[in-house]
Amino acid sequence: MIDLTKLIEGKNLTEAEEKVLRYIIDHIDDVTKMGVRTIAKNNYTSTSTIMRLTKKLGYAGFIDMYYRLLPLVKSADSGENENSDFINNFFSNSLLQNSNYPQLKEFAKILYQESDKFIFIYATGFSAIVAEYIYKKLLVLGKKCILASGMDSVGVFENNLDYIGCLLVVSRSGETKQVLDKVKTAKENNIFTISFTNDRESSINKLADIKLKIEDSNKLDDRNMMPNTFFPSLLMIVEVLVYEYHKILLEETKNNIQ
């Protein structure tokens, strides 16, 4: 079912108008054959209600509304998991090489599993900016997260070990001491660890359970003064993770319906 929130926000639609809009979207392939009168009849309302609806949504009329809504509905109906170009584009750009794709799928399964514990996200410096994006992305998926950086007390992590189910770290080099210390503590306390670094053989990756290597065009640029591919590539990898997570959700929904 398509979420109408963005479409109707600020439009002051009545309950009858919302009902008609939902009906039109649910029957998008047939509404032009039905015509305005049949749609009104099927919704126990008048044709004027439909005309007011088109005006409130900013369309010139019923036909204009239909052709504006059609691509939006078809795009939503296609489903993320059916859009093969989405994944193919990542493979063509080598973003999912280095065994990243199987590990991302494993991470997506871990995210899907219900847990009362938190995902603790940790990074420092420029990596902390990306870590905040991951944090907010997981929050909108409904996941319980804690975000911390080098500016925070070590107690934020160590005093909450009993409530942490997973540690996610970002370290471009894979050798950042503050991050490595967190990973070591996590392993000592049997906390599952996921790392994003530019080197699969780094100290952090050697300890992590899921090791995601991100290509870096300037590995020796410690001060991040030169252009590099690490951070933008990492953000794109996160979107693949979200893609795989939604794929699991869709598959589970289909299984439950069957």
Side-chain angles (χ1 to χ4, degrees):
M1 183 176 288
I2 298 173
D3 184 1
L4 299 181
T5 306
K6 290 291 184 182
L7 187 61
I8 67 176
E9 186 175 14
K11 306 300 183 182
N12 297 318
L13 300 188
T14 65
E15 185 176 340
E17 290 164 350
E18 282 194 38
K19 181 183 176 183
V20 169
L21 178 59
R22 171 55 65 188
Y23 182 88
I24 290 171
I25 287 174
D26 290 343
H27 299 83
I28 197 71
D29 293 326
D30 304 310
V31 289
T32 53
K33 297 175 186 176
M34 294 181 190
V36 175
R37 292 185 183 279
T38 301
I39 295 171
K41 180 181 178 181
N42 291 348
N43 286 274
Y44 305 100
T45 189
S46 64
T47 56
S48 59
T49 298
I50 300 175
M51 292 301 102
R52 284 196 301 271
L53 170 65
T54 62
K55 297 300 181 184
K56 285 184 178 181
L57 293 178
Y59 303 123
F62 175 73
I63 296 300
D64 181 41
M65 179 173 68
Y66 166 76
Y67 282 111
R68 297 283 193 91
L69 291 176
L70 183 62
L72 297 176
V73 175
K74 292 300 181 182
S75 175
D77 286 345
S78 66
E80 287 179 278
N81 67 316
E82 295 175 9
N83 186 0
S84 59
D85 288 340
F86 183 84
I87 289 297
N88 290 338
N89 286 338
F90 283 95
F91 274 115
S92 65
N93 291 327
S94 300
L95 285 169
L96 295 183
Q97 303 304 321
N98 305 308
S99 302
N100 274 347
Y101 195 34
Q103 301 226 25
L104 276 171
K105 293 173 81 170
E106 183 182 350
F107 186 12
K109 289 179 183 177
I110 293 170
L111 281 180
Y112 178 76
Q113 296 168 357
E114 292 295 332
S115 174
D116 292 331
K117 294 193 173 183
F118 286 83
I119 299 171
F120 194 98
I121 303 170
Y122 188 83
T124 64
F126 277 86
S127 294
I129 299 172
V130 180
E132 183 176 359
Y133 180 83
I134 298 172
Y135 166 70
K136 290 182 177 178
K137 198 75 177 183
L138 295 184
L139 281 181
V140 298
L141 293 181
K143 303 304 167 183
K144 297 194 297 185
C145 303
I146 299 173
L147 175 66
S149 70
M151 299 294 291
D152 296 304
S153 165
V154 66
V156 174
F157 179 65
E158 294 185 351
N159 293 341
N160 289 283
L161 291 173
D162 291 339
Y163 308 103
I164 299 171
C166 173
L167 171 66
L168 187 157
V169 299
V170 181
S171 171
R172 189 175 160 200
S173 66
E175 302 294 341
T176 309
K177 186 179 183 306
Q178 287 170 291
V179 181
L180 180 57
D181 288 343
K182 300 293 183 300
V183 174
K184 287 179 177 177
T185 301
K187 297 306 293 182
E188 291 168 0
N189 289 271
N190 297 314
I191 295 174
F192 196 89
T193 306
I194 299 155
S195 65
F196 291 88
T197 76
N198 69 16
D199 186 354
R200 189 168 296 281
E201 299 304 316
S202 67
S203 299
I204 289 173
N205 268 3
K206 287 178 180 178
L207 293 173
D209 296 292
I210 290 181
K211 323 164 198 300
L212 293 160
K213 178 187 174 183
I214 312 299
E215 292 296 332
D216 189 343
S217 55
N218 272 300
K219 288 186 178 181
L220 300 181
D221 180 27
D222 292 339
R223 290 180 291 176
N224 200 36
M225 296 178 66
M226 303 297 293
N228 77 79
T229 55
F230 179 78
F231 296 113
S233 295
L234 196 159
L235 290 173
M236 293 177 74
I237 287 291
V238 170
E239 298 307 322
V240 180
L241 171 66
V242 175
Y243 167 88
E244 289 298 327
Y245 175 80
H246 281 291
K247 219 165 79 165
I248 296 172
L249 279 179
L250 186 59
E251 289 170 359
E252 288 298 319
T253 301
K254 288 180 179 178
N255 290 337
N256 289 336
I257 292 174
Q258 294 172 355

